[in-house]
Amino acid sequence: MTLKIGVQLQPQHAPDYQLIRDAVLRSEDAGVDIVFNWDHFYPLYGDLDGAHFECWTMLGAWAEQTSNVEIGALVTGGGYRNPDLLADMARTVDHISGGRLILGIGGGWNEKDYDNFGYEFGTAGSRLKLLNENLARIKHRLEVGNPAPTRAIPILIGGGGEKKTLKMVAEYAHIWHSFADLDELKRKSGILAEHGETVGRDVSGITRSVSWPGADKAQDFVDAGATLFTVGTGGPDYDLTELKAAIAWRNSRS
């Protein structure tokens, strides 16, 4: 079992992009495994109209800047881009990075993003229906791209809806990011296994991903099947103190 630590460098409240670039450098130097951002158009806390940068153009820059870490969004808004275009963007960033992209995606939820950028917000059900349709198109587009991706690009699906999201995880995902607490993670892992039986897939190989719960609780999540832990930090300071503690925990178990 390989334990991995990610960091989500939230692209908010950093009016100078160099603050983000520096945080990526410091994270890679610290020994992180994955550097994530998120796919929103406005900050999610603090000044909700504060400084913010776009997700996928940033991932292209990270692909050039970094050498060893995997990169990706935690997560891409499923309805923000034509899915064939998104797949081609992912294929391109995969090549730029030399095969280090993770394609993280979810149903979307932040109504302000939708309203101000002209997307239809719809309902939770309609957004998940669209995500399911888009995942099929993304899978196809990745299969026919020329040149092909450098590897089977890992798809990370974020969310925990028991009827729809977990079924999509069973069908499409290599990584499942759960926002659940420990007991819910255990219960929903059982539901995921049931969906795996329905779609004819052994889901035991899907990586379980969670937010970093602290060194005192992390082993409980490992015992429940989690192997990827992500620490979140925002601008302008991008304090990596907690990230370094998580990396030290990982190293103590290797």
Side-chain angles (χ1 to χ4, degrees):
M1 176 180 59
T2 301
L3 298 175
K4 292 187 176 183
I5 299 297
V7 63
Q8 185 189 57
L9 300 177
Q10 301 154 356
Q12 60 178 2
H13 305 309
D16 181 348
Y17 177 74
Q18 295 306 314
L19 295 169
I20 298 175
R21 192 177 195 284
D22 175 67
V24 173
L25 176 64
R26 290 188 288 120
S27 297
E28 187 168 42
D29 285 349
V32 77
D33 296 296
I34 307 169
V35 182
F36 292 110
N37 57 10
W38 68 28
D39 190 20
H40 293 284
F41 307 128
Y42 298 93
L44 297 186
Y45 52 84
D47 179 1
L48 300 185
D49 291 313
H52 202 280
F53 287 104
E54 194 274 332
C55 169
W56 275 89
T57 43
M58 186 181 301
L59 289 177
W62 289 4
E64 284 284 4
Q65 178 188 348
T66 58
S67 300
N68 301 308
V69 295
E70 291 184 291
I71 58 174
L74 189 64
V75 289
T76 299
Y80 292 163
R81 297 166 189 81
N82 172 287
D84 291 84
L85 173 60
L86 176 61
D88 218 38
M89 292 163 59
R91 181 183 64 91
T92 301
V93 176
D94 166 71
H95 275 271
I96 296 170
S97 67
R100 294 182 287 114
L101 178 75
I102 294 171
L103 176 49
I105 193 164
W109 61 271
N110 190 33
E111 188 169 3
K112 182 177 180 178
D113 288 342
Y114 286 82
D115 291 347
N116 287 3
F117 276 70
Y119 299 112
E120 181 181 351
F121 186 60
T123 65
S126 68
R127 294 192 298 276
L128 289 174
K129 181 177 183 292
L130 179 63
L131 175 61
N132 191 49
E133 295 169 354
N134 287 352
L135 281 165
R137 290 175 60 179
I138 288 167
K139 180 181 178 182
H140 170 73
R141 184 55 54 190
L142 290 174
E143 290 171 348
V144 301
N146 183 13
T150 67
R151 64 173 179 169
I153 297 174
I155 293 177
L156 179 156
I157 295 178
E162 297 176 10
K163 295 182 179 180
K164 297 179 180 179
T165 303
L166 289 181
K167 185 176 181 181
M168 286 184 266
V169 171
E171 188 168 0
Y172 293 105
H174 302 83
I175 305 168
W176 167 42
H177 185 80
S178 170
F179 299 93
D181 62 22
L182 182 61
D183 290 339
E184 283 289 283
L185 175 64
K186 294 175 182 177
R187 189 178 67 82
K188 291 188 177 185
S189 288
I191 295 171
L192 176 60
E194 293 173 2
H195 283 302
E197 293 177 1
T198 299
V199 303
R201 182 184 178 193
D202 179 3
V203 299
S204 63
I206 297 176
T207 297
R208 272 62 167 176
S209 166
V210 298
S211 297
W212 174 243
D216 58 333
K217 298 179 180 178
Q219 186 58 48
D220 291 335
F221 281 85
V222 173
D223 294 341
T227 57
L228 171 57
F229 298 90
T230 297
V231 177
T233 183
D237 297 330
Y238 293 103
D239 184 350
L240 301 186
T241 302
E242 191 68 14
L243 174 65
K244 292 177 180 178
I247 292 170
W249 173 86
R250 177 204 66 193
N251 292 346
S252 72
R253 278 145 178 80
S254 61

